């Protein structure tokens, strides 16, 4: 297999991990929402675009509570997260014209969680025939829309939902 260079991911691999949880840092610093690509803030959770996506438009729903398992998560928090994940699927379909969405949560490092100490859902938009010859023969993804354009589109739709009080219980 041929190796391909993905320079935008270099920052992810070279960053030094602080002692503090990155999700807790984002949760506690709303003044940095724009630079952290925060899409929304609800009562018990918030949404953030994945800074290092394999598929553009991917975002995460993250509880404010720092917890590494769902078994001990308060039911009210779980229900809010689940409601927002459900609405998030609709947001991806409406804003990005996704024809499908992968949703998932990797619980623990053994399950593949990159940030195992703080649970979070991933919502990954998918499109019909979103693989092409370059993916098949060169193992390379081609993104047709700039990151910031997708971020702004998703943020705008979440702001509309918040204005209409459709999912946020603050």
């Amino acid at each position: 297999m041929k190796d391909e260079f993905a320079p935008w991911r270099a920052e992810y691999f070279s960053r030094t991990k602080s002692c503090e949880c990155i999700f807790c840092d984002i949760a506690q610093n709303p003044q940095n929402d724009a630079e952290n690509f925060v899409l929304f803030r609800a009562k018990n959770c918030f949404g953030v675009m994945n800074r290092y996506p394999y598929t553009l438009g991917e975002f995460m729903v993250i509880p404010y509570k720092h917890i590494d398992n769902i078994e001990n998560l308060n039911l009210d928090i779980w229900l809010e997260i689940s409601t927002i994940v459900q609405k998030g699927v609709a947001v991806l379909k409406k804003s990005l014209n996704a024809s499908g969405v992968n949703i998932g949560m990797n619980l623990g490092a053994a399950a593949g969680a990159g940030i195992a100490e703080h649970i979070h859902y991933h919502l990954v938009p998918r499109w019909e025939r979103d693989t092409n010859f370059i993916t098949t023969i060169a193992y390379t993804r081609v993104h047709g829309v700039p990151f910031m354009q997708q971020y702004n589109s998703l943020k705008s739709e979440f702001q509309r939902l918040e204005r209409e009080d459709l999912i946020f219980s603050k």
Side-chain angles (χ1 to χ4, degrees), residues 44-64:
N44 297 301
C45 64
F46 60 102
V48 176
M49 284 281 288
N50 190 333
R51 190 180 294 254
Y52 308 102
Y54 286 104
T55 300
L56 283 181
E58 175 185 352
F59 71 93
M60 298 168 284
V61 178
I62 308 161
Y64 292 113

Side-chain angles (χ1 to χ4, degrees), residues 45-131:
C45 64
F46 60 102
V48 176
M49 284 281 288
N50 190 333
R51 190 180 294 254
Y52 308 102
Y54 286 104
T55 300
L56 283 181
E58 175 185 352
F59 71 93
M60 298 168 284
V61 178
I62 308 161
Y64 292 113
K65 180 178 178 62
H66 182 88
I67 189 167
D68 66 355
N69 65 76
I70 61 172
E71 308 91 279
N72 296 321
L73 190 64
N74 177 288
L75 184 59
D76 290 337
I77 298 171
W78 178 253
L79 292 175
E80 182 180 85
I81 290 170
S82 298
T83 299
I84 291 177
V85 165
Q86 182 183 40
K87 297 297 183 182
V89 169
V91 166
L92 288 170
K93 289 179 177 180
K94 179 178 180 177
S95 297
L96 305 184
N97 202 29
S99 41
V101 179
N102 294 120
I103 60 172
M105 184 181 278
N106 299 323
L107 300 172
I115 301 175
E117 66 272 13
H118 197 136
I119 63 168
H120 54 284
Y121 258 112
H122 289 267
L123 285 84
V124 182
R126 302 302 302 262
W127 294 268
E128 293 288 331
R129 298 176 299 281
D130 69 350
T131 57

